[in-house]
Amino acid sequence: MENLISLVNKIQRACTALGDHGDESAMPTLWDSLPSIAVVGGQSSGKSSVLESIVGKDFLPRGSGIVTRRPLVLQLHKIDEGKEYAEFMHLPRKRFTDFAAVRKEISDETDRETGRSKGISSVPIHLSIFSPNVVNLTLVDLPGLTKVAVEGQPEGIVQDIEDMVRAFIEKPNCIILAISPANQDLATSDAIKISREVDPKGERTFGVLTKIDLMDQGTNAVDILEGRSYKLQFPWIGVVNRSQADINKSVDMIAARRREREYFASSSEYRHLGNRMGSEHLGRVLSKHLEVVIKSRIPGLQSLISKTIGELESELSRLGKPIAADAGGKLYVIMEISRTFDQIFKEHLDGVRSGGEKIYGVFDNQFPAALKRLQFDKQLSMDNIRKLITEADGYQPHLIAPEQGYRRLIESSLICIRGPAEAAVDAVHGILKDLAQKSINETTELKQYPPLRVEVANAAFESLERMKEESKRATLQLVDMECGYLTVDFFRKLPQDIEKGGNPTVSLFDRYNDSYLRRVVIVHCQVREAKRCLLDHFFAELGAKEARQLAKLLDEDPAVMQRRTSLARRLELYRSAQSEIEAVAWSK
């Protein structure tokens, strides 16, 4: 069973190294799911003395006001023999055998995180103590609850401390060690008050009564210790700590433990409770209970870890892998990402993805509607026809038919089609640009590299602009060609339309609308060209770029880089925890 506590200790240290220590800003955290024992008490409740009694060493900072300003994760490791020593996680490979130096390092590390403003921080300090005189146990010492801020401390520190303590102990996996002094009314105990709020049934709370030896003469704490004053699921445990005089004289902790045992054994009030009193008994009870809780949580931990590993792997896959360092590797990545964008763009044009159908709307609706809005009635009014025919005949009237006038009349009408034709080209260009932008947004890999995203977008838009101009030239040239070459057959059909009661201009519209202008030129010069070679020019330019320029294209968003690094480290933590937990689970 001792492996279970060691396992949780190891995972807690790894969590803290990753910044995963239950802070509100942390990602989904493994820390919150690990069973822990949080030590809660008001200032001057004897909280520090209880911890030192359990450890058997004088190692915690003391003084007036709020001394503990960061959570202290205290991990106790029982060793069979050898000299006692301590290690801090922030000072790897450095052993402390002088526990006065441990006390100083706790103070210094607190100041390094909080500054000397006497503020608080939720980032924990990890301290491991190895000793033959301890039980395997992990305790989280929290700042003492207080009612007023002392000079030099922020005004809101009282509430900040309560919020921090509450954030730790309200988690269902937290075991609460509530420290209350026996020489004060239990109803005013800060530890009992806050514990009752988060654990009203007392199912996670161990009550510890300190300063029993300092109670007024003629009074005792039997009613509290036997659970009649305030009942908890677990029996109350009384402790007798060193007095201030003992602390000043540096009385040995081992001797203090012996005196504590003698006090309960010789006291007439507490003799019948002596076998379950004292700091040594408290350490054993907590160690055993922590082991039981950890064992019961293993299935849930395994499930949580498996689920989180899947989520982390999925997000890492979405973010993509870091790129290769060499120029060839960078060029390959750029080409692959660009081809992915190009393929998505083609899927929009081919109907695999939505948007391409809008191009048909230009041909089927927008262009015909624009033609019908043209004011051909003015072109074909009798006054205009008479004027054009007269001008075409010059000084001599026509002999058979005013052919030259006809030609000028038709040419002047066809010229009007240039406007709708240009508008159709522009409309298709706008749709293609929208599809290109949409394709860029749908190319996940481009989000990883903002500079490459900009370059691909610019290259695509430049190509579409060239294609638009080519399409516009070809379209207008086709209009001019039709205007400049009116065949005999064209004129033969006009009278037939009139004889049948039709409008010659309608036939004219349909003739041009249904053939060239409606599909051939625009589709050939813009749509198919965009599908065929949208990024050809961009690819050609890539081959001429230097390694430095390629690297610049693959500069990632710093937030993405930081996120990937954080996710990778967290994934390593969860995989390691999964392996460790499975090894312990299989060994049971």
Side-chain angles (χ1 to χ4, degrees), residues 9 161 216 289 343 349 426 460 496 556 562 586:
N9 288 349
I161 291 175
D216 293 338
H289 183 70
Q343 182 59 37
L349 294 179
D426 291 336
Q496 295 173 13
E556 283 191 276
Q562 184 177 357
W586 278 106

Side-chain angles (χ1 to χ4, degrees), residues 303-427:
S303 176
L304 170 71
I305 288 171
S306 296
K307 179 176 180 290
T308 307
I309 285 175
E311 292 172 350
L312 292 171
E313 288 176 338
S314 176
E315 187 169 358
L316 275 172
S317 175
R318 183 181 62 79
L319 291 177
K321 296 179 180 179
I323 60 171
D326 60 292
K330 290 182 172 64
L331 181 59
Y332 175 79
V333 170
I334 294 172
M335 295 285 284
E336 286 300 302
I337 294 175
S338 301
R339 288 192 184 104
T340 300
F341 154 74
D342 195 40
Q343 182 59 37
I344 292 173
F345 179 70
K346 290 175 180 176
E347 289 175 1
H348 280 292
L349 294 179
D350 290 339
V352 179
R353 298 174 186 245
S354 63
E357 71 281 356
K358 294 180 181 179
I359 293 174
Y360 289 99
V362 175
F363 300 133
D364 294 337
N365 302 310
Q366 182 175 327
F367 183 62
L371 288 178
K372 290 176 181 179
R373 286 194 299 269
L374 293 176
Q375 297 180 347
F376 280 101
D377 54 340
K378 293 183 179 179
Q379 289 292 114
L380 301 178
S381 67
M382 292 305 298
D383 289 342
N384 193 48
I385 291 172
R386 187 180 296 109
K387 177 176 178 291
L388 286 174
I389 290 175
T390 303
E391 289 176 352
D393 281 348
Y395 68 92
Q396 186 176 4
H398 61 269
L399 179 62
I400 300 174
E403 180 180 328
Q404 188 65 28
Y406 269 139
R407 289 184 180 277
R408 290 190 182 180
L409 180 63
I410 299 302
E411 287 172 8
S412 64
S413 297
L414 286 175
I415 288 297
C416 296
I417 299 175
R418 290 174 64 98
E422 281 190 281
V425 172
D426 291 336

Side-chain angles (χ1 to χ4, degrees), residues 124-166:
I125 299 173
H126 266 266
L127 172 63
S128 295
I129 295 179
F130 301 81
S131 170
N133 303 315
V134 299
V135 292
N136 288 296
L137 184 62
T138 299
L139 300 165
V140 183
D141 183 24
L142 297 171
L145 295 161
T146 184
K147 293 180 174 60
V148 293
V150 300
E151 185 178 353
Q153 291 176 333
E155 286 295 325
I157 196 169
V158 174
Q159 187 62 47
D160 291 343
I161 291 175
E162 182 177 332
D163 292 344
M164 181 195 296
V165 172
R166 192 183 300 277

Side-chain angles (χ1 to χ4, degrees), residues 320-564:
K321 296 179 180 179
I323 60 171
D326 60 292
K330 290 182 172 64
L331 181 59
Y332 175 79
V333 170
I334 294 172
M335 295 285 284
E336 286 300 302
I337 294 175
S338 301
R339 288 192 184 104
T340 300
F341 154 74
D342 195 40
Q343 182 59 37
I344 292 173
F345 179 70
K346 290 175 180 176
E347 289 175 1
H348 280 292
L349 294 179
D350 290 339
V352 179
R353 298 174 186 245
S354 63
E357 71 281 356
K358 294 180 181 179
I359 293 174
Y360 289 99
V362 175
F363 300 133
D364 294 337
N365 302 310
Q366 182 175 327
F367 183 62
L371 288 178
K372 290 176 181 179
R373 286 194 299 269
L374 293 176
Q375 297 180 347
F376 280 101
D377 54 340
K378 293 183 179 179
Q379 289 292 114
L380 301 178
S381 67
M382 292 305 298
D383 289 342
N384 193 48
I385 291 172
R386 187 180 296 109
K387 177 176 178 291
L388 286 174
I389 290 175
T390 303
E391 289 176 352
D393 281 348
Y395 68 92
Q396 186 176 4
H398 61 269
L399 179 62
I400 300 174
E403 180 180 328
Q404 188 65 28
Y406 269 139
R407 289 184 180 277
R408 290 190 182 180
L409 180 63
I410 299 302
E411 287 172 8
S412 64
S413 297
L414 286 175
I415 288 297
C416 296
I417 299 175
R418 290 174 64 98
E422 281 190 281
V425 172
D426 291 336
V428 171
H429 174 71
I431 293 171
L432 292 174
K433 278 188 68 175
D434 289 343
L435 292 180
Q437 185 61 59
K438 191 174 183 180
S439 301
I440 287 170
N441 295 336
E442 292 173 359
T443 306
T444 306
E445 295 84 350
L446 286 176
K447 296 177 183 177
Q448 186 175 343
Y449 308 108
L452 179 59
R453 178 187 174 100
V454 171
E455 285 293 318
V456 169
N458 289 341
F461 295 153
E462 287 172 6
S463 292
L464 291 176
E465 194 69 32
R466 288 194 300 271
M467 293 168 190
K468 181 189 78 170
E469 295 305 319
E470 178 62 28
S471 179
K472 190 170 291 188
R473 279 195 301 271
T475 300
L476 297 181
Q477 186 177 29
L478 183 59
V479 173
D480 293 340
M481 288 165 61
E482 294 291 342
C483 292
Y485 188 71
L486 299 176
T487 64
V488 173
D489 188 56
F490 178 88
F491 286 102
R492 284 174 179 167
K493 289 184 178 181
L494 287 178
Q496 295 173 13
D497 292 330
I498 298 172
E499 290 169 3
K500 294 175 182 178
N503 184 340
T505 59
V506 173
S507 299
L508 182 146
F509 299 157
D510 291 342
R511 203 163 285 137
Y512 286 85
N513 184 30
D514 289 336
S515 57
Y516 300 102
L517 297 179
R518 189 171 182 188
R519 306 276 175 174
V520 177
V521 175
I522 294 176
V523 170
H524 176 75
C525 294
Q526 281 180 274
V527 182
R528 289 187 178 174
E529 279 296 286
K531 181 179 175 182
R532 185 180 68 84
C533 58
L534 182 66
L535 294 181
D536 280 7
H537 187 66
F538 175 69
F539 289 150
E541 288 184 337
L542 278 181
K545 289 186 181 291
E546 299 177 357
R548 178 178 55 81
Q549 294 172 310
L550 293 175
K552 190 174 182 181
L553 286 179
L554 293 177
D555 283 345
E556 283 191 276
D557 183 343
V560 174
M561 296 174 64
Q562 184 177 357
R563 179 72 172 173
R564 184 193 295 111

Side-chain angles (χ1 to χ4, degrees), residues 290-303:
L290 183 58
E291 290 169 350
V292 172
V293 172
I294 292 172
K295 187 175 183 180
S296 71
R297 297 291 193 276
I298 282 181
L301 277 173
Q302 289 175 309
S303 176

